[in-house]
Amino acid sequence: MKQNKVKKMAMAGILTSVAVAGSLLSFPVFGSRCAPVQHMVNVLCAILLGPGYGFVAAIAASFLRNLFGLGSLLAFPGSMFGALLSGLAYKYTKNIWAACVGEVFGTAVLGGLSAYPLAIAFMGQSAGDIAFYAYIVPFFVSTSVGALLSTILIAALQKSGVLKHAHAGLEI
């Protein structure tokens, strides 16, 4: 049991590192910096580790991205909601597409809506006004690209047998 937790924590750490490094590959959409690798990692965490580890990895990646100047405070709501819903969707359906839909809905809709009060509280009223109208679309673009990348990567992992081996090693 303890060994399995250590393996999952190590994998979560590796995937968090991938999300942070992948933030170097970002692009602006309206007022947001879109980092699709974070969303790809959220789906991978959902499938490999489950909702709890995915949620914690998303928080850690958002924190590190902010610490290194690779993201904004608005990285928190999108990645957290997306990772959690993606993990729950996969946990209960065992369907990769459901995990991707959970990621997109959680990030774009719930994360986009929660960006409004967060932006007002920490970035001022003017940022909040922009966030309410302009962050759902950029979050949707970023998470859709990330979900697409994750499906391509997961399909390759399934075809090669690595995904089955990873699930067996992590006892999912």
Side-chain angles (χ1 to χ4, degrees):
M1 180 80 160
K2 228 178 211 183
Q3 185 180 17
N4 192 37
K5 285 185 180 185
V6 171
K7 286 180 185 179
K8 284 185 174 185
M9 287 190 324
M11 180 63 76
I14 290 167
L15 290 172
T16 298
S17 300
V18 169
V20 173
S23 293
L24 295 171
L25 305 170
S26 65
F27 54 91
V29 174
F30 297 120
S32 178
R33 178 186 253 168
C34 297
V37 174
Q38 172 68 57
H39 307 292
M40 178 189 77
V41 167
N42 285 351
V43 175
L44 288 173
C45 281
I47 291 169
L48 293 173
L49 304 172
Y53 284 94
F55 182 77
V56 172
I59 292 171
S62 294
F63 177 75
L64 290 170
R65 286 173 58 207
N66 276 276
L67 189 67
F68 297 138
L70 299 171
S72 73
L73 287 174
L74 302 177
F76 284 97
S79 64
M80 292 180 339
F81 282 115
L84 184 62
L85 284 184
S86 181
L88 291 171
Y90 188 76
K91 179 179 179 178
Y92 292 111
T93 66
K94 299 296 182 201
N95 184 300
I96 294 167
W97 290 107
C100 290
V101 169
E103 168 64 24
V104 171
F105 181 80
T107 297
V109 177
L110 299 179
L113 290 174
S114 66
Y116 175 68
L118 185 68
I120 288 175
F122 294 102
M123 300 165 83
Q125 181 65 41
S126 61
D129 291 341
I130 293 169
F132 185 73
Y133 297 106
Y135 281 114
I136 291 176
V137 172
F139 283 14
F140 179 77
V141 170
S142 183
T143 191
S144 296
V145 172
L148 179 63
L149 289 173
S150 68
T151 55
I152 292 168
L153 180 59
I154 291 165
L157 292 173
Q158 280 180 324
K159 188 173 182 177
S160 68
V162 172
L163 188 63
K164 187 176 181 178
H165 180 71
H167 273 161
L170 295 170
E171 297 176 14
I172 300 294

